[in-house]
Amino acid sequence: MSVFVIAEAGVNHNGSIKLAKQLIDAASDAGADAVKFQTFKAEKLVSKNAKKAEYQQKNMQDEDSSQFNMLKKLELDIETHKELIAYCKTKNIMFLSTPFDLESVDMLDSLGLEIFKIPSGEITNLPYLRKIAQLKKKIVLSTGMATLREVGDALELLTSNGTPKENITVLHANTMYPTPMEDVNLQAMLTIGKTFNVAYGYSDHTLGIEVPTATVALGASVIEKHFTLDKTMDGPDHKASLEPHELKAMMQAIRNIERAMGDGVKKPSKSETPNIEVARKSIVAAKPIQKGEIFSKENLTVKRPAGGINPMQWDDIIGQVAKRDYDIDEMIEK
């Protein structure tokens, strides 16, 4: 089954429908399975005096330290959602959005979303988790900042409120933008999968493409990665996002690794089978041998090509009698 790749546009549209559509174009062109935005009402998400995260303050040029004012400019209303959903259909890519409050959950449900993405910050939000679970849709749960116990508590809440575990994919994540390599801890993704016997994946905030690509080889079924049209744009997440050419490179790398994983059966591949005769060897005469002569390590050797007696039968041939004359380098026959 192919890895499901979510191209995370997030709030990198900067409040512009035009930019949002260009992000959809880029995600579709790269070959992503879905493009994801964020749905929220600033009033429902954050209090008026909440400060921006350090990385948000650092990545934005304005002096305003208010999370509320930043988020208010990045809201997408229901009509914009409808327009973007319709546009995604023309581009043959799935529209997704992360709801950040209960009203946004209702709105996305009314718009017919098939998959609900729960962000890391909501993993301890019981009313929110319960509401999404009761929709009985597919769920992708991010686990940044969470302990293993908190992941288990969230899973228990989701499954006990109507969503079967087979409909849930749990993403290992780190919420620092960008994530330092030493904090990625991909082994924790495997721990999640093994501990809870659940489908798992990875939501990536590192700067490159090697980490999300590596998760394919570790069994990730869903990968999420932020992208933007231009890293130099003003906004909280642009600097830790991929540009379109990088997103395309990541998609190509992911699909290549998928193909490279194979079926696990160790055997000569179709492409290398012709090399067997060229690269392997046979038992041949090291010097002219006359009929009746005894084969020995002095008059036999091993050389390319294959096609004669396999050198693994060396001990069986030594001591046998030559049934005919052999010229030097001629393959020995039984």
Side-chain angles (χ1 to χ4, degrees):
M1 187 173 168
S2 185
V3 176
F4 189 81
V5 181
I6 301 170
E8 167 73 86
V11 294
N12 284 345
H13 50 77
N14 286 2
S16 161
I17 296 178
K18 182 181 178 182
L19 277 180
K21 288 183 176 179
Q22 289 175 337
L23 286 162
I24 292 168
D25 290 340
S28 176
D29 185 53
D33 297 291
V35 58
K36 189 173 77 64
F37 294 90
Q38 294 179 5
T39 303
F40 54 83
K41 291 283 188 186
E43 291 85 355
K44 303 285 184 182
L45 178 57
V46 63
S47 61
K48 296 283 178 70
N49 58 358
K51 302 290 185 188
K52 292 176 186 172
E54 184 179 345
Y55 78 87
Q56 293 171 338
Q57 191 69 45
K58 188 176 176 182
N59 291 346
M60 298 186 74
Q61 295 169 12
D62 62 64
E63 298 299 317
D64 187 353
S65 64
S66 164
Q67 258 201 76
F68 178 85
N69 292 339
M70 173 188 75
L71 292 169
K72 194 65 186 168
K73 298 171 188 172
L74 300 172
E75 287 181 359
L76 300 175
D77 63 23
I78 189 165
E79 293 307 317
T80 302
H81 278 72
K82 289 177 181 177
E83 190 172 340
L84 296 181
I85 289 169
Y87 191 71
C88 281
K89 287 178 181 174
T90 70
K91 291 292 178 176
N92 198 30
I93 189 168
M94 183 183 288
F95 174 93
L96 293 177
S97 191
T98 299
F100 282 84
D101 54 75
L102 299 181
E103 284 186 19
S104 295
V105 172
D106 286 333
M107 185 173 92
L108 292 177
D109 184 39
S110 73
L111 292 171
L113 261 66
E114 299 172 22
I115 301 172
F116 273 76
K117 168 66 198 301
I118 297 173
S120 294
E122 306 302 328
I123 197 168
T124 58
N125 185 344
L126 189 151
Y128 173 97
L129 295 174
R130 178 185 288 149
K131 187 175 187 68
I132 289 179
Q134 289 170 345
L135 298 176
K136 300 180 181 177
K137 302 284 184 76
K138 289 183 178 177
I139 291 174
V140 176
L141 171 68
S142 275
T143 61
M145 306 175 292
T147 64
L148 195 63
R149 181 168 188 168
E150 287 172 331
V151 175
D153 289 344
L155 277 172
E156 170 61 27
L157 190 60
L158 293 171
T159 55
S160 64
N161 279 278
T163 301
K165 192 162 67 171
E166 54 267 27
N167 283 2
I168 302 171
T169 302
V170 181
L171 303 187
H172 175 50
N174 181 298
T175 59
M176 177 50 70
Y177 292 69
T179 301
M181 284 296 173
E182 59 271 23
D183 287 348
V184 169
N185 192 13
L186 283 185
Q187 296 281 7
M189 180 182 75
L190 302 180
T191 299
I192 288 168
K194 185 176 181 181
T195 302
F196 303 111
N197 189 27
V198 68
Y200 59 84
Y202 181 64
S203 179
D204 184 54
H205 300 124
T206 63
L207 288 176
I209 68 171
E210 61 265 48
V211 175
T213 303
T215 65
V216 180
L218 294 174
S221 58
V222 174
I223 293 171
E224 180 179 79
K225 181 73 173 178
H226 278 264
F227 78 108
T228 181
L229 297 177
D230 184 348
K231 291 180 186 181
T232 65
M233 293 174 76
D234 190 36
D237 298 339
H238 293 288
K239 285 184 176 60
S241 301
L242 299 180
E243 290 187 343
H245 70 282
E246 295 171 308
L247 180 65
K248 191 176 287 188
M250 185 191 80
M251 288 303 308
Q252 185 174 7
I254 285 172
R255 298 308 180 210
N256 283 344
I257 295 300
E258 274 184 328
R259 288 195 292 273
M261 290 300 291
D263 60 9
V265 178
K266 179 57 185 167
K267 62 183 180 182
S269 71
K270 183 179 179 182
S271 63
E272 71 177 342
T273 298
N275 296 337
I276 293 174
E277 185 174 353
V278 176
R280 289 190 173 180
K281 297 177 179 177
S282 303
I283 299 175
V284 302
K287 53 190 175 183
I289 299 173
Q290 296 193 352
K291 181 179 179 180
E293 197 173 332
I294 303 296
F295 291 136
S296 68
K297 61 183 180 180
E298 284 75 29
N299 61 19
L300 296 182
T301 190
V302 173
K303 289 185 181 183
R304 291 176 174 178
I309 297 175
N310 190 321
M312 291 296 281
Q313 298 179 50
W314 176 269
D315 289 346
D316 297 331
I317 299 301
I318 296 294
Q320 289 191 19
V321 178
K323 295 178 182 177
R324 65 172 179 86
D325 293 345
Y326 289 94
D327 291 329
I328 188 169
D329 283 349
E330 193 174 355
M331 288 182 182
I332 303 301
E333 298 172 353
K334 285 187 179 179

